[in-house]
């Protein structure tokens, strides 16, 4: 294991010996491709909850500093203090960095770059789990996608970093429709904001297996390529897995249906109009950090070496390849959204009914209280204590179920909106196909 | 007054006699400009609250149908039933329409178009007032900006519709920093999503006077032109006012500092790269709908006739004109954000302290209750009823102030994020200026 670990970064080190990105940048005019090394990791850095957090943040900082990647895309850096610690350590090597602020706890995303960050933008997903699933707590984190515009040697990179809703149980995945909505919003956000880009890069923990509907939708709609599938050379965990049993922080029970591991962390990319991007090599860590006894995180890091080459002639279309398969994928995603829409409508109805009953009970009690205060001759049917307790219970039920009614109303509206957007997308796709 | 009203649409009617947009579209190849008539109105259609709502919605539908605009951008159509009624009436004249769904009540935006809508996207603003300002209720509406991609005769239009946070008191405007953040997010959203557009159009109730910091920021950052300022011909209320005392639904008290009215509804536009857009005429209604005894809404409608001309040669830059004035504007907006940031931090701190005190009181009472249950010889210091009342009070205070703490934490994060974004923008602007 140890030996395998120490090999984990070897292709990168070789790449660096052959010529670092900066070195190659200077030679860009004489046409060799621009080579870019991108590091992506879900850092699992939750204060008070994640194991050996500080030590791991230190290790991540040391590795980023030693390896000198061009870009490091980190997720789950929930504490700004951890970001500041990393920033302090990495200022010399990565003079540009950004921490995306959102929600109560933050987005958890931060990016370290060797090249100037020209602009940033954040889009928060409309749906992100259920507030009553307290044991998971996803609803309380502001899951989002962050965009950074970075200029490297005159080439405009639109770099996206994201983290989608987790999957807790694959057989009965209550979060699947929300994740599909997030994947759709991510795809839409990338398509709408990348028209001015030369190269699009997306890194993050997508919480989806490579064949899942959400990732097929995302890749089909945006035309993004998978660095694992396209890499000339690969080294790391079998099949590029990023959640593996060899990682001592992995809860093996969660991996039960997949004893060898799963791949849910990705680096995706595409070149637009005048640029072609290809993946020279992809490396993942393999359970422990190279040369260390513990891993960086409960996820494996993904490191891609990409080369960007200027095309002879600009290509007209920069979008996805429109084909009947894409229609099928959007249809499948739309069906998923519709199933949840009907369930959410039913839940909203039953929440509304429950809140109404509680309100009725409260009104009844208020009327009884008033009549007894007015001195009308109605005997108090319950003892005072039980009556107060009943009122308290009715108030709690009213407040909670009213909150749930509001939540499911928002959910229904977002699902209806997404379904409508997908319907429109399908119509436009079919028009395109029929005119081809 | 009546006579003036009946004149309100005259320039449009003349335009239509000269040749409708469709007619001119066919002739586009022979180079005359494409002429486009855009209608914008804040419809003030809140069920149960807005006066003569149904009659007004009927009037709006009739006028849209008779006038046959190319695009109608409506705000504050809060009820989907009203949208459906309009849609049913307008299907023949405007075969394409979209209603943006968001939040509990919806976004209130809908768009009717004579040309195919290819795609839609919605971005919800991060800040939108305060939940405890119940009398205003802005926080509960999902204020947002909607994007529609519409293709007219091969020209790609990116049409944005929005409605920013209201201004209730100009002297002590508690919402100013949130409106500045919304204006910044709107400007950023337009800049990031309009790179693929030929023409950008923005219509909506911006709740800002023409010289306000938010609108200067929006126009400076995006390079959008004001149809009122640039119109060759104008007819309507003095200075293009869209909230006027002559409107019977206007609360005159709100207009006290501006007895003649204010202009807060806009149609802004710009042509990108290969296209030039100019405003041939601008018309507003003047207190009542033409030929009717009541107005369409408490706002005046704005109707712009734009002409789009293909340029001989593509222009390189499509963004705003970078100048030292823009640096001043961004600096001014940033200062506004910083002032609110400090206030929000103070509010968060005091909310946190209050919630902690309530928690302490509850814990104390729980300890006393437990010790009395355990039979320890501590005399009950309060009567049982007062003790229960105190617990109830402490619980309510704890819940409310905890909620406020969470709200102000989110506010602080968004303000910090915006301030950081503006800092980055200033840096990039200054770099550009110094290299010019």
């Amino acid at each position: 294991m140890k030996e395998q670990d120490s090999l984990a970064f070897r292709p990168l080190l070789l790449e660096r010996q052959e010529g670092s990105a900066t070195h190659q940048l200077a030679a860009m005019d004489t046409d060799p491709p621009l080579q870019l090394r991108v590091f992506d990791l879900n850092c699992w850095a939750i204060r008070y909850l994640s194991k050996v957090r500080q030590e791991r943040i230190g290790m991540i900082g040391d590795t980023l500093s030693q390896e000198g990647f061009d870009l490091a895309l980190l997720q789950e850096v929930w504490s700004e203090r951890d970001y500041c610690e990393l920033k302090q350590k990495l200022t010399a090597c990565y003079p540009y960095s950004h921490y995306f602020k959102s929600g109560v706890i933050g987005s958890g995303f931060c990016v370290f770059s060797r090249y100037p960050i020209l602009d940033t933008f954040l889009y928060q997903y409309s749906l992100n789990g259920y507030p009553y699933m307290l044991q998971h707590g996803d609803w309380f984190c502001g899951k989002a996608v962050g965009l950074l515009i970075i200029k490297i040697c005159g080439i405009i990179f639109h770099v996206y970093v994201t983290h989608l809703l987790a999957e807790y149980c694959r057989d009965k995945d209550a979060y699947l429709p929300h994740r599909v909505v997030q994947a759709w919003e991510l795809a839409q956000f990338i398509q709408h904001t990348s028209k001015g880009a030369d190269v699009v890069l997306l890194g993050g923990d997508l919480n989806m297996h490579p064949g899942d509907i959400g990732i097929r939708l995302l890749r089909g709609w945006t035309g993004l390529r998978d660095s694992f599938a396209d890499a000339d050379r690969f080294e790391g965990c079998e099949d590029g897995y990023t959640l593996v049993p060899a990682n001592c922080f992995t809860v093996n029970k969660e991996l039960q249906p997949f004893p060898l591991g799963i791949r849910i962390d990705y680096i995706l990319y595409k070149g637009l109009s005048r640029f072609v991007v290809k993946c020279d090599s992809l490396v993942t860590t393999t359970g422990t950090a190279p040369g260390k006894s513990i891993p960086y995180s409960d996820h494996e890091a993904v490191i891609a070496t990409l080369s960007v080459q200027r095309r002879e002639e600009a290509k007209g279309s920069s979008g996805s390849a429109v084909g009947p398969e894409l229609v099928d994928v959007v249809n499948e995603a739309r069906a998923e959204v519709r199933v949840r829409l009907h369930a959410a409508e039913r839940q909203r109805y039953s929440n509304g009914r429950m809140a109404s009953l509680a309100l009725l009970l409260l009104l009844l009690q208020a009327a009884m209280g008033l009549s007894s205060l007015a001195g009308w001759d109605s005997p108090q049917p319950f003892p005072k204590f039980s009556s107060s307790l009943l009122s308290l219970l009715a108030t709690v039920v009213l407040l909670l179920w009213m909150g749930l009614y509001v939540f499911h109303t928002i959910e229904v509206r977002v699902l209806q909106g997404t379904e409508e957007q997908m319907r429109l997308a399908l119509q436009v796709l079919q028009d395109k196909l029929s005119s081809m």
Side-chain angles (χ1 to χ4, degrees), chain A:
Chain A
M1 196 68 216
K2 198 85 188 171
E3 196 177 275
Q4 199 186 351
D5 288 339
S6 67
L7 282 171
F9 284 151
R10 194 175 287 172
L12 294 165
L13 295 170
L14 284 174
E15 228 73 72
R16 284 187 61 69
Q17 280 154 14
E18 284 159 27
S20 76
T22 0
H23 193 84
Q24 295 213 354
L25 280 177
M28 183 69 191
D29 288 334
T30 57
D31 247 349
L34 161 70
Q35 216 165 46
L36 205 75
R37 295 169 65 235
V38 185
F39 177 93
D40 174 82
L41 176 65
N42 175 331
C43 297
W44 186 49
I46 313 163
R47 281 181 90 184
Y48 314 117
L49 281 176
S50 300
K51 288 177 195 160
V52 286
R53 194 192 92 250
Q54 275 183 306
E55 197 181 331
R56 291 189 292 106
I57 287 290
M59 276 165 56
I60 293 168
D62 291 341
T63 300
L64 291 182
S65 174
Q66 284 156 25
E67 289 287 327
F69 299 106
D70 296 297
L71 265 178
L73 314 175
L74 309 181
Q75 303 99 54
E76 288 217 8
V77 181
W78 293 112
S79 147
E80 242 178 289
R81 269 196 225 168
D82 288 341
Y83 165 68
C84 291
E85 194 193 309
L86 283 170
K87 192 179 168 176
Q88 209 171 8
K89 193 177 260 178
L90 300 173
T91 303
C93 197
Y94 304 82
Y96 308 94
S97 66
H98 188 77
Y99 186 76
F100 285 99
K101 286 172 186 170
S102 89
V104 188
I105 322 172
S107 69
F109 311 147
C110 59
V111 174
F112 292 92
S113 164
R114 290 175 63 189
Y115 306 99
I117 296 170
L118 301 184
D119 206 352
T120 66
F121 195 51
L122 190 76
Y123 176 87
Q124 210 158 332
Y125 298 124
S126 310
L127 291 180
N128 192 31
Y130 310 95
Y132 45 84
M133 298 289 227
L134 289 174
Q135 73 277 30
H136 298 152
D138 292 272
W139 190 77
F140 297 92
C141 316
K143 290 269 166 73
V145 46
L147 157 65
L148 297 112
I149 299 183
I150 299 174
K151 201 172 185 172
I152 308 178
C153 192
I155 304 173
I156 300 289
F157 283 77
H158 280 213
V159 178
Y160 298 86
V161 55
T162 195
H163 184 187
L164 302 196
L165 190 52
E167 181 186 82
Y168 295 93
C169 170
R170 197 159 173 87
D171 292 335
K172 287 179 186 170
D173 183 9
Y175 295 123
L176 176 63
H178 284 206
R179 206 178 308 106
V180 170
V181 171
Q182 290 188 345
W184 174 249
E185 289 184 344
L186 173 59
Q188 287 271 85
F189 182 73
I190 293 175
Q191 280 302 82
H192 284 298
T193 57
S194 65
K195 293 288 190 293
D198 295 322
V199 175
V200 173
L201 273 185
L202 164 64
D205 173 2
L206 301 184
N207 271 312
M208 299 186 285
H209 298 211
D212 284 359
I213 172 65
I215 204 136
R216 282 185 285 132
L217 182 69
L218 171 68
R219 292 194 49 204
W221 195 250
T222 58
L224 284 167
R225 305 184 67 86
D226 181 359
S227 56
F228 172 75
D230 290 356
D232 287 344
R233 282 171 296 162
F234 171 74
E235 196 160 334
C237 299
E238 198 182 330
D239 287 333
Y241 296 144
T242 58
L243 224 61
V244 291
N247 186 309
C248 64
F249 299 131
T250 304
V251 182
N252 280 340
K253 209 186 110 197
E254 282 174 16
L255 277 183
Q256 229 165 25
F258 307 96
L260 295 172
I262 55 175
R263 183 158 77 94
I264 56 173
D265 298 84
Y266 297 82
I267 293 177
L268 306 176
Y269 61 86
K270 69 171 175 181
L272 282 104
S273 93
R274 293 175 305 128
F275 292 88
V276 189
V277 186
K278 66 187 229 26
C279 182
D280 295 338
S281 84
L282 191 80
V283 178
T284 72
T285 49
T286 51
T288 50
K292 301 276 176 180
S293 60
I294 56 161
Y296 294 120
S297 166
D298 60 346
H299 285 241
E300 300 309 312
V302 182
I303 305 117
T305 306
L306 306 171
S307 51
V308 181
Q309 178 96 52
R310 203 180 286 265
R311 235 191 271 268
E312 286 292 306
E313 269 176 56
K315 218 178 94 189
S317 160
S318 60
S320 55
V322 177
E325 321 80 52
L326 186 55
V327 174
D328 292 344
V329 169
V330 180
N331 260 323
E332 194 181 332
R334 193 178 168 209
E336 209 57 74
V337 171
R338 277 160 100 163
V339 168
R340 177 62 210 158
L341 176 58
H342 296 314
E345 278 170 341
R346 279 197 303 276
Q347 273 178 288
R348 178 173 65 161
Y349 173 75
S350 82
N351 293 148
R353 200 175 45 184
M354 192 74 173
S356 308
L357 281 176
L359 183 68
L360 205 72
L361 187 63
L362 268 180
L363 288 177
L364 210 70
Q365 283 187 305
M368 286 196 310
L370 278 177
S371 72
S372 99
L373 268 181
W376 294 335
D377 198 20
S378 63
Q380 187 75 13
F382 305 112
K384 259 195 179 163
F385 181 73
S386 317
S387 177
S388 311
L389 207 70
L390 205 64
S391 301
L392 189 75
L393 197 76
T395 312
V396 169
V397 168
L398 176 65
L399 287 177
L400 283 181
W401 266 257
M402 226 167 64
L404 285 176
Y405 179 81
V406 168
F407 167 76
H408 285 300
T409 300
I410 296 174
E411 192 193 8
V412 162
R413 276 183 197 276
V414 173
L415 291 166
Q416 282 174 339
T418 308
E419 210 257 328
E420 171 69 20
Q421 264 196 335
M422 287 175 167
R423 194 193 54 76
L424 184 64
L426 279 166
Q427 207 175 301
V428 173
L429 269 181
Q430 268 151 349
D431 285 352
K432 265 190 196 170
L433 279 174
S434 62
S435 70
M436 266 159 86

